[in-house]
Structure formats: C-alpha cells, structure tokens
Amino acid sequence: GAVVSQHPSWVICKSGTSVKIECRSLDFQATTMFWYRQFPKQSLMLMATSNEGSKATYEQGVEKDKFLINHASLTLSTLTVTSAHPEDSSFYICSARDRHIPLHFGNGTRLTVT
Amino acid sequence: AQKITQTQPGMFVQEKEAVTLDCTYDTSDPSYGLFWYKHPSSGEMIFLIYQGSYDQQNATEGRYSLNFQKARKSANLVISASQLGDSAMYFCAMRGPNTDKLIFGTGTRLQVFP
C-alpha cells in the first residue's frame, strides 16, 4: 500500500488565492522530503528539498516566497502555493525516503488555477 | 550537469509481448543510481527497479529488467509478457552520489492492447 499520502489529489482555485498541499509519510519518519512539479510534456522537476525542523532548500529558479514549504514534523511536509496564478497550474508531487533505496512518492496533486 | 533523456513519448505493445523503453543519461559522476518508476493515471508513482553504477549485473525484478549499458550510458527498461495493467507513464530517473535528489526524464506513455 501507499507509504506516502498526498492531499488533495486535485484542486481548482481562483487566481490570487493560496493553496496548501500536504505530504505525509504513513509508516516511517522522513527527515527529508522532496517536492517536484511537472508541466505538460515535460520532466518532473525538483522544486525544493524539505528538511524537518529547518528551512527548505530551493532549486534555482523556484521562488521561495511563492512556494512556501513547511516541514514541521517527521511525517508531514506542506507546500503552499501563494497567490496562485494560471501559470502555476501543474502537477505537484512529493516524495520521501525511508531506510530503503527507492524514494516513495505520493499520488500527486493536479492544481488548476482559473 | 546530469540529464536523463527518454526519446519515446509513447509506445504500444500487444498483451503478452515484451517491450523496451529507452533511457539514456549523462553525468560526470562515477557513482550514480538509475531508477524506473511507473505512474498510472490514477495512482501513485510506483518504484520498479534500481541499478547502481557499480553493479556488475543488470537488475531484474520479476517481469522488469534493466538493460544497463554503461559505456553507452543507457538504462533501458524491458517489460516481458506485457499485461493490460502495465499501461501507464514510465519515468526513468537518476540520482547522483550522496544525494536523494532525482533527475527525471520526460516519461514514456505505454499502452498495452489486447
């Protein structure tokens, strides 16, 4: 079964509003989680590395003030898209690593900003 | 810089036949890991198989095998005896040394028909 739960699966919001996406590791503690974004017909691109108890590390070109990441506990990381605009419409997916080699991914969130 | 290339946007295969999904990579690091993930349209990203750069043998996991050709920098996924449930997007990814960050290809959509 799924070991990483991501919520919501899809969300439609109006331009200018903020949207929060949650990523939970279900049966393991994840000191590090990753947030990816995928635009149509493009690769999954790493946005940021979420570190429990400290600030997230953002990839080049990702606006930290727009994509707020909070990793408040060992099982929960949240991504908030602030003042969303239509160009933020994308597929967002989180991943977390336990002791094993493969990263576990959530189901992803399809965000549509109207 | 690391890069993953999947040149096949879509592939069709008949049920019970084998199919090869192409993946080439580029990196200057001698130590790296290669992954394949399956992403059904309605489900989580599923880890399929992993190949380490120093592994002498090609990785196999059930019906999945990874044709690792280091000199050619290719890591093709071979699915034997295709099933209808194999229809999904397939992503090739690479991880560099001492990091959990994954670099993804653009994916290949596999459609298995009866």
Side-chain angles (χ1 to χ4, degrees), chain B residues 43-65:
Chain B
E44 65 181 292
M45 189 88 87
I46 302 166
F47 165 76
L48 295 178
I49 197 165
Y50 168 81
Q51 179 86 42
S53 59
Y54 293 118
D55 293 345
Q56 295 295 316
Q57 294 186 321
N58 287 349
T60 60
E61 289 286 348
R63 295 187 298 112
Y64 305 108
S65 60

Side-chain angles (χ1 to χ4, degrees), chain A residues 63-93:
Chain A
E63 299 176 61
K64 62 178 70 176
D65 294 330
K66 181 170 186 60
F67 299 100
L68 300 179
I69 292 174
N70 186 350
H71 196 152
S73 76
L74 286 170
T75 59
L76 174 63
S77 174
T78 61
L79 168 68
T80 301
V81 183
T82 62
S83 188
H85 291 284
E87 56 265 31
D88 297 324
S89 298
S90 186
F91 180 74
Y92 295 85
I93 192 166

Side-chain angles (χ1 to χ4, degrees), chain A residues 1-3 34 36 38 41-44 46 49 59 91 93 97 101-107, chain B residues 4 35 37 39 42-47 50 89 91 95 99-107:
Chain A
V3 295
F34 302 90
Y36 293 84
Q38 184 186 27
K41 299 183 180 180
Q42 295 186 28
S43 302
L44 280 163
L46 179 65
T49 302
E59 296 299 304
F91 180 74
I93 192 166
R97 186 181 192 277
I101 294 174
L103 283 174
H104 299 288
F105 284 82
N107 282 12
Chain B
I4 289 281
F35 300 76
Y37 283 87
H39 191 206
S42 58
E44 65 181 292
M45 189 88 87
I46 302 166
F47 165 76
Y50 168 81
M89 280 289 287
F91 290 97
R95 183 181 69 194
T99 179
D100 286 322
K101 295 181 183 179
L102 290 181
I103 308 296
F104 283 87
T106 50

